[in-house]
Amino acid sequence: MLENRKGLTFYALGLSYKKADAETRGHFSLDKESSLLLLKQAKEKGIESIVVTSTCNRTELYGFAEHPYQLIELLCHNTIGTVEEFQKVAYIYKNKEAIAHVFRVGSGLDSQILGDFEIISQLKHSGRLSKKLGLLNSFMERLINAVIQASKRIKTETDLSSGATSVSFASVQYILSNVNDISNKNILLFGIGKIGRNTCENLIKHSKNQHITLINRTKTKAEEIAGKFNLVVKDYASLREEINATDILIVATGAKNPTVDKFCISSKNPLLILDLSIPRNVNPDVCDLENVTLVHLDQLSKITDSTLERRKLQIPLAETIIEEIMTEFNQWVANRKFAPTIKALKEKLNDLKKAELDTQRKKFKNFDEVQAELITKNLIQKITNHFAHHLKHDDDSPDESLELIKRVFQIERTTHV
């Protein structure tokens, strides 16, 4: 068990594209501000370790709690989602199942598009933020580092992520497959967060289009991206004007409510809109217009091609790598269980040594302090090493062995992670 001295259990809980549609995921989406607020509230409530991740595909919390409801309550309090809604689509894993889940997520095996590793960068960022706030214990830090290690090995030792496998790539693939004469179309990209930037790079790489315009609420960020690729940047105030002058609109903003609706569109020319945002940033009412085609990222993620089929063949190798690193992590967790008892045993033996040396000093006039200290120190180290080796390799009854050591040496019973 991974329960620690306070009776806390490690949980991984949340919702993802597998059971929750885009609208529901939007209800539980966390931006930077709400994630930070959630972490601060967790600290106030005495949560000792917690990590928050929120992407277009999933929102998840990893942490220690007496009951999962403590974590669910934090999530619902900082989003517009309700507990009842969460229960309909959620998953809750604990202990070793939770560890396995985090490994699959971080390694791209649970991504909406197989091999999409964008989640690992957020996991790194989320871990650093939790650590900065004093909300990352040694267990969680070691787990995140192990998942990062697995992700790196899968990237280098398999072809699971060969080529681009992400929502941004899928959106470009959709455009290339469904739009004729793409190089001469006007493309407007609204929002240049991570997905927006990646989409922009994929567009330039694969479409050879020279008519891409960027709009972002913070214009300077758009100008940074535009400078790299010699693109046009327009003010946010001119969004409607630019929408009506474009052939393809890609929306990838982080707004909590729709920023584009049918009233933004007055042109009668064909308009393809790709909404890559969670929550949705394009109001479905745009479909009331006959000239508009709206595609959301959930539809894009269903696109499969020969590249994705080849990636599926890499799953067994990726799982082997995960199993290897996860086994090492679980062994480390198991060893931590024995550490307090071994430490207490060593302290007990040192107490016995001290008492015995005091007795021997009184008996012998020329008592050799240095020699006696060296011999007893070495003996204690060898004895504790033997016990530690036995506990680590006792697959049948390690708990019974622990209890026996505690009884024989009269060590106070304590339970730790």
Side-chain angles (χ1 to χ4, degrees), residues 59-77:
T59 296
E60 296 187 339
L61 304 185
Y62 313 133
F64 283 89
E66 294 178 4
H67 191 279
Y69 182 74
Q70 293 171 283
L71 303 180
I72 297 169
E73 187 178 36
L74 282 170
L75 175 60
C76 294
H77 185 72

Side-chain angles (χ1 to χ4, degrees), residues 119-138:
I119 183 68
I120 197 67
S121 61
Q122 187 179 107
L123 193 57
K124 289 179 186 176
H125 173 77
S126 300
R128 286 195 294 267
L129 180 58
S130 291
K131 187 173 184 177
K132 184 178 178 181
L133 295 173
L135 286 166
L136 195 72
N137 63 14
S138 57

Side-chain angles (χ1 to χ4, degrees), residues 175-355:
I175 292 171
L176 294 173
S177 301
N178 292 274
V179 179
N180 295 323
D181 195 22
I182 181 63
S183 61
N184 292 314
K185 298 296 184 183
N186 292 322
I187 301 176
L188 174 61
L189 178 57
F190 175 34
I192 47 89
K194 185 165 186 179
I195 290 178
R197 291 196 304 272
N198 290 345
T199 303
C200 184
E201 291 178 12
N202 277 314
L203 271 172
I204 293 166
K205 180 179 178 181
H206 298 287
S207 73
K208 311 300 181 186
N209 188 292
Q210 301 296 317
H211 313 285
I212 300 175
T213 300
L214 305 183
I215 291 182
N216 196 63
R217 287 179 185 274
T218 307
K219 189 176 181 180
T220 53
K221 291 184 179 180
E223 289 172 337
E224 289 175 12
I225 303 298
K228 294 180 182 178
F229 304 108
N230 195 28
L231 304 178
V232 175
V233 175
K234 295 288 186 177
D235 291 323
Y236 175 66
S238 63
L239 178 62
R240 288 197 178 195
E241 179 184 346
E242 293 302 321
I243 288 176
N244 288 289
T246 197
D247 301 301
I248 302 169
L249 169 63
I250 301 171
V251 182
T253 74
K256 293 184 178 181
N257 297 300
T259 51
V260 176
D261 57 29
K262 67 180 182 181
F263 301 106
C264 297
I265 305 167
S266 56
S267 171
K268 300 301 181 182
N269 295 326
L271 175 62
L272 171 63
I273 303 178
L274 275 62
D275 186 0
L276 310 185
S277 311
I278 290 290
R280 290 178 185 269
N281 272 197
V282 178
N283 194 314
D285 68 5
V286 298
C287 295
D288 294 343
L289 305 175
E290 292 183 0
N291 60 311
V292 174
T293 301
L294 173 62
V295 180
H296 191 260
L297 63 85
D298 278 0
Q299 294 164 268
L300 292 171
S301 65
K302 294 173 184 176
I303 296 172
T304 58
D305 59 12
S306 57
T307 304
L308 286 174
E309 291 304 314
R310 286 198 300 273
R311 288 189 184 94
K312 290 179 182 178
L313 299 176
Q314 299 296 308
I315 291 176
L317 181 54
E319 288 177 334
T320 299
I321 293 171
I322 290 173
E323 188 61 34
E324 180 184 330
I325 297 175
M326 189 165 62
T327 298
E328 291 175 2
F329 176 77
N330 285 330
Q331 186 60 55
W332 173 79
V333 172
N335 291 346
R336 291 182 74 202
K337 180 180 180 179
F338 310 137
T341 298
I342 295 299
K343 182 182 177 183
L345 172 62
K346 198 168 189 177
E347 291 173 352
K348 188 74 171 182
L349 292 174
N350 275 314
D351 288 342
L352 294 173
K353 178 195 81 171
K354 186 174 180 294

Side-chain angles (χ1 to χ4, degrees), residues 36-227:
L36 182 60
L37 188 58
L38 188 155
L39 290 173
K40 289 180 177 178
Q41 290 172 2
K43 194 172 181 89
E44 291 171 0
K45 291 179 179 293
I47 300 290
E48 72 166 41
S49 189
I50 183 173
V51 170
V52 179
T53 62
S54 186
T55 69
C56 58
N57 297 331
R58 68 183 70 246
T59 296
E60 296 187 339
L61 304 185
Y62 313 133
F64 283 89
E66 294 178 4
H67 191 279
Y69 182 74
Q70 293 171 283
L71 303 180
I72 297 169
E73 187 178 36
L74 282 170
L75 175 60
C76 294
H77 185 72
N78 288 282
T79 62
I80 62 171
T82 64
V83 174
E84 292 74 22
E85 189 177 19
F86 179 83
Q87 289 173 330
K88 291 177 182 177
V89 296
Y91 41 82
I92 300 174
Y93 302 104
K94 69 177 184 178
N95 297 329
K96 288 191 175 181
E97 285 187 352
I99 292 171
H101 176 73
V102 179
F103 267 97
R104 289 189 68 83
V105 169
S107 300
L109 291 182
D110 201 61
S111 297
Q112 193 169 22
I113 297 179
L114 180 64
D116 184 352
F117 282 94
E118 290 185 4
I119 183 68
I120 197 67
S121 61
Q122 187 179 107
L123 193 57
K124 289 179 186 176
H125 173 77
S126 300
R128 286 195 294 267
L129 180 58
S130 291
K131 187 173 184 177
K132 184 178 178 181
L133 295 173
L135 286 166
L136 195 72
N137 63 14
S138 57
F139 172 94
M140 292 274 282
E141 185 169 16
R142 180 95 174 208
L143 174 60
I144 290 174
N145 288 335
V147 172
I148 292 170
Q149 181 188 357
S151 175
K152 286 180 179 177
R153 282 191 54 188
I154 290 171
K155 283 182 181 179
T156 57
E157 297 176 28
T158 78
D159 291 326
L160 188 71
S161 61
S162 60
T165 50
S166 63
V167 169
S168 57
F169 175 70
S171 63
V172 175
Q173 186 183 41
Y174 179 88
I175 292 171
L176 294 173
S177 301
N178 292 274
V179 179
N180 295 323
D181 195 22
I182 181 63
S183 61
N184 292 314
K185 298 296 184 183
N186 292 322
I187 301 176
L188 174 61
L189 178 57
F190 175 34
I192 47 89
K194 185 165 186 179
I195 290 178
R197 291 196 304 272
N198 290 345
T199 303
C200 184
E201 291 178 12
N202 277 314
L203 271 172
I204 293 166
K205 180 179 178 181
H206 298 287
S207 73
K208 311 300 181 186
N209 188 292
Q210 301 296 317
H211 313 285
I212 300 175
T213 300
L214 305 183
I215 291 182
N216 196 63
R217 287 179 185 274
T218 307
K219 189 176 181 180
T220 53
K221 291 184 179 180
E223 289 172 337
E224 289 175 12
I225 303 298

